[in-house]
Amino acid sequence: MSLALLSVLGVALDALLGEPKRWHPLVAFGRLADRLERRFNRSRADAGKDTPGLGWRSHGVTAWIIAVIPLTLIALLLSLLPYVGWAVQALVLYAALGLRSLGEHAEPVALALRAGDLNEARLRVGYMVSRETAELDETAVARATTESVLENGSDAVYAALFWFAIAGAPGVVLYRLSNTLDAMWGYRNARFERFGWAAAKIDDVLNYIPARLVAFTYALLGHTRLALRCWRSQAPKWDSPNAGPVMATGAGALGVSLGGSARYHGELHERPQLGEGPAPTATDIWRALALVRQGVLLWLAVILILGVL
């Protein structure tokens, strides 16, 4: 029951305060991850091997352990402190959540589209996605933003709540740091394909159950039959085992079409279609945000009920 009440407190702190403007712990962790990557992601040629390219899987595992495990243990010890342990738990969850931040990034895109300011919309969506945005039209901007809301809602909100409910502060620290390393190291390119393998796989494992609970939540709160049909038929075609169910179901729940072509780092990627219906507009960005927020309220209600039982 205490974790259930602390879940509500953590979400309330996020709603009231938003992301820390200065000294965000994940920013500091990102700098640590950069230093570890420069230290451990050495080329095989540097090590006297003939194989070109960067990365050793074992070095990626070592860097992941150094980055994540000590901080997880510190969170465990602090959460067990008498009198202040509950405050540590709530603050850790607050630092891990990104619900208010999601709206603060997505709503300016919708407002710019509504005002007909495409350049501002491109600039704003560029803060949210890794694809190239300079040449996106209005539809592509709305599509990219809607996709980001659905996927980041799962990664930065629901999965954090899930692991907090399961294991408290150490659970959410373990998850959030792993997710951050996946975002930094989990690329399939020459630099990270081997070194980032562990970070990507661990994040896939930690997100497996939360992503499917999120997909079910989206389906429950939207066009349920369409969402479930999109989950079954479209999610397996997506390259990510967890983003596929989340985004396909979210698109179906909203009754819009997502996916399609997108340019990343100069390369055009043809992605499968997700959902059914018209292309998204500015209004659908707000609808996606509403879907995520309603789902969070539902999750908190369920967590409280389970805590009482």
Side-chain angles (χ1 to χ4, degrees), residues 112-188:
L113 288 176
R114 182 69 60 85
D117 190 346
L118 181 56
N119 288 332
E120 178 68 11
R122 288 168 173 167
L123 175 66
R124 292 288 185 168
V125 75
Y127 299 149
M128 301 181 66
V129 300
S130 57
R131 74 192 69 178
E132 296 175 11
T133 62
E135 298 181 359
L136 297 182
D137 59 18
E138 292 183 3
T139 298
V141 168
R143 181 185 298 116
T145 309
T146 304
E147 290 175 4
S148 181
V149 169
L150 294 173
E151 184 175 8
N152 285 317
S154 178
D155 290 349
V157 182
Y158 290 106
L161 277 174
F162 174 86
W163 283 108
F164 185 79
I166 294 296
V172 76
V173 168
L174 174 68
Y175 165 73
R176 202 68 178 95
L177 299 186
S178 300
N179 184 250
T180 302
L181 292 182
D182 176 57
M184 298 180 68
W185 298 349
Y187 294 99
R188 296 177 180 175

Side-chain angles (χ1 to χ4, degrees), residues 125 128-133 136-137 139-152 188 233-240 243-244 246-248 251 256-265 267-275 279-280:
V125 75
M128 301 181 66
V129 300
S130 57
R131 74 192 69 178
E132 296 175 11
T133 62
L136 297 182
D137 59 18
T139 298
V141 168
R143 181 185 298 116
T145 309
T146 304
E147 290 175 4
S148 181
V149 169
L150 294 173
E151 184 175 8
N152 285 317
R188 296 177 180 175
S233 63
Q234 298 172 348
K237 301 175 184 177
W238 203 251
D239 59 355
S240 169
V246 167
M247 294 173 63
V256 298
S257 293
L258 302 177
S261 61
R263 187 174 295 276
Y264 297 88
H265 310 295
E267 295 184 4
L268 186 65
H269 293 253
E270 293 294 340
R271 307 170 306 158
Q273 177 180 315
L274 299 174

Side-chain angles (χ1 to χ4, degrees), residues 164-251:
F164 185 79
I166 294 296
V172 76
V173 168
L174 174 68
Y175 165 73
R176 202 68 178 95
L177 299 186
S178 300
N179 184 250
T180 302
L181 292 182
D182 176 57
M184 298 180 68
W185 298 349
Y187 294 99
R188 296 177 180 175
N189 55 29
R191 179 177 176 181
F192 289 110
E193 185 173 8
R194 289 185 288 265
F195 177 80
W197 174 85
K201 293 300 181 183
I202 292 169
D203 183 69
D204 284 345
V205 171
L206 293 177
N207 260 311
Y208 187 86
I209 294 176
R212 280 142 188 84
L213 292 175
V214 172
F216 181 75
T217 301
Y218 287 166
L220 187 65
L221 297 175
H223 300 291
T224 304
R225 290 186 178 181
L226 175 58
L228 294 176
R229 186 168 73 247
C230 292
W231 184 354
R232 290 193 302 269
S233 63
Q234 298 172 348
K237 301 175 184 177
W238 203 251
D239 59 355
S240 169
N242 295 324
V246 167
M247 294 173 63
T249 310

